[in-house]
Amino acid sequence: MEFALAHPALKAFMCGSLSGTCSTLLFQPLDLVKTRLQTLQTGVQPGTARVGMMTVFQNIVRTEKLLGLWKGASPSFVRTIPGVGIYFSTYFTLKQHLVQGKSPGAMEAVLLGAGARTVAGVLMLPVTVIKTRFECGRYSYGSVTGALRSVCQAEGPGALFSGLLATLLRDVPFSGIYVMFYSQTKAALPEEISLTVSAPVANFFCGVLAGVLASLITQPADVVKTRVQINPQVRTLQAIASIYVEHGVDGFFRGAVPRLLRRTMMAAMAWTVYEQMMAHTSIRRCFVLSQ
């Protein structure tokens, strides 16, 4: 415990990993449904009947059983647990250097969120590619390591970084916008709320609001990212053009509802857990130092 107290960046990593574990287990079905919505009906012309979220959900349960909703959970765990930990430890380190413990302003919050997400996104991109392929149902990988080996042998190591541009265009703005809305909304709350037992609830609802806004703004980039990672021979601009030709503008918002639900709840949960655990650590550090 003294080691964790002496290394707050490590504590931030541990807090992020814990919240990532819980949120992945709870919300993996939403991510699966989102990916299936974004990858079905290729070649369908605009104006034809669209398959909705509940239809996809029912089809998965009918054909793959209830546990099929957690398909892709293993790469999700491999990606999210260290990924969220890397994100929060990077965020904490950047915050210490940029604002030195003060509450960040709007632009500082954008830079903090964007910087942390860039580091985590690039480091975890190979697992993100494997996760997307697991979820789409078009590949029959047996394990995460087997999938990594198969992609390297069949397509070359570069395929593990397919969709890098689209991923960064999705994740970096999402995180920057999220942290800005979250920090500014939380700062606008009455100060006495942060001193009561209602603080975690208030933080959670600030996170929900920030997540909704950030998810809607970055949804088109998520659709493009999915298309490129499933078809690595397709470039980002080609994916944008094909989505528009096949589905029109609506195509860029496929899977918006399950993604909004998942990203909003995951981010709100992650930040609530992070804030509470870091605050608890600060209190314990002060207690230890006073002894």
Side-chain angles (χ1 to χ4, degrees), residues 133-145:
R133 293 190 177 195
F134 261 89
E135 292 173 349
C136 75
R138 299 182 185 178
Y139 297 84
S140 55
Y141 299 130
S143 65
V144 176
T145 54

Side-chain angles (χ1 to χ4, degrees), residues 96-111:
Q96 292 297 101
H97 287 84
L98 186 61
V99 298
Q100 300 179 343
K102 299 181 297 183
S103 296
M107 185 52 64
E108 291 169 332
V110 170
L111 293 175

Side-chain angles (χ1 to χ4, degrees), residues 48 74 101 203 214 258:
T48 56
S74 54
N203 290 344

Side-chain angles (χ1 to χ4, degrees), residues 2 25 65 86 97 118 158 172 183 189 201 228 234 264 273 290:
E2 291 181 0
L25 183 62
K65 309 303 180 185
I86 292 169
H97 287 84
T118 299
V172 173
S183 62
L189 294 173
V201 177
V228 173
V234 176
T264 296
V273 172
S290 67

Side-chain angles (χ1 to χ4, degrees), residues 73-113:
S74 54
S76 288
F77 278 119
V78 173
R79 169 182 174 265
T80 304
I81 294 174
V84 178
I86 292 169
Y87 173 83
F88 277 115
S89 59
T90 304
Y91 172 85
F92 179 86
T93 303
L94 292 174
K95 185 177 179 181
Q96 292 297 101
H97 287 84
L98 186 61
V99 298
Q100 300 179 343
K102 299 181 297 183
S103 296
M107 185 52 64
E108 291 169 332
V110 170
L111 293 175
L112 287 171

Side-chain angles (χ1 to χ4, degrees), residues 214-289:
S215 294
L216 288 175
I217 293 171
T218 58
Q219 176 63 24
D222 184 66
V223 178
V224 175
K225 185 267 319 178
T226 299
R227 178 68 66 96
V228 173
Q229 289 182 343
I230 291 174
N231 306 287
Q233 70 278 6
V234 176
R235 301 301 180 187
T236 300
L237 291 179
Q238 292 174 320
I240 293 172
S242 65
I243 291 168
Y244 180 76
V245 169
E246 293 170 7
H247 308 292
V249 175
D250 287 352
F252 293 101
F253 291 90
R254 283 191 162 213
V257 173
R259 176 175 180 263
L260 187 149
L261 291 172
R262 174 183 173 273
R263 286 303 296 267
T264 296
M265 299 303 290
M266 283 188 70
M269 177 183 291
W271 276 92
T272 301
V273 172
Y274 171 77
E275 296 266 17
Q276 291 305 115
M277 292 187 71
M278 291 300 287
H280 181 67
T281 300
S282 298
I283 293 172
R284 295 199 62 178
R285 186 186 301 114
C286 291
F287 177 77
V288 170
L289 293 176

Side-chain angles (χ1 to χ4, degrees), residues 5-74:
L5 291 175
H7 295 79
L10 175 62
K11 186 64 176 180
F13 180 91
M14 294 169 61
C15 295
S17 296
L18 176 61
S19 64
T21 301
C22 298
S23 57
T24 297
L25 183 62
L26 288 173
F27 303 123
Q28 175 62 22
L30 289 172
D31 201 29
L32 178 68
V33 171
K34 181 267 297 184
T35 300
R36 295 289 177 90
L37 280 170
Q38 291 178 351
T39 56
L40 54 73
Q41 291 187 326
T42 301
V44 174
Q45 296 301 314
T48 56
R50 293 180 295 178
V51 177
M53 173 180 167
M54 291 308 300
T55 302
V56 172
F57 184 89
Q58 292 168 356
N59 286 340
I60 293 172
V61 174
R62 185 183 306 113
T63 59
E64 304 175 46
K65 309 303 180 185
L66 188 62
L67 288 179
L69 291 170
W70 276 267
K71 189 171 187 178
S74 54

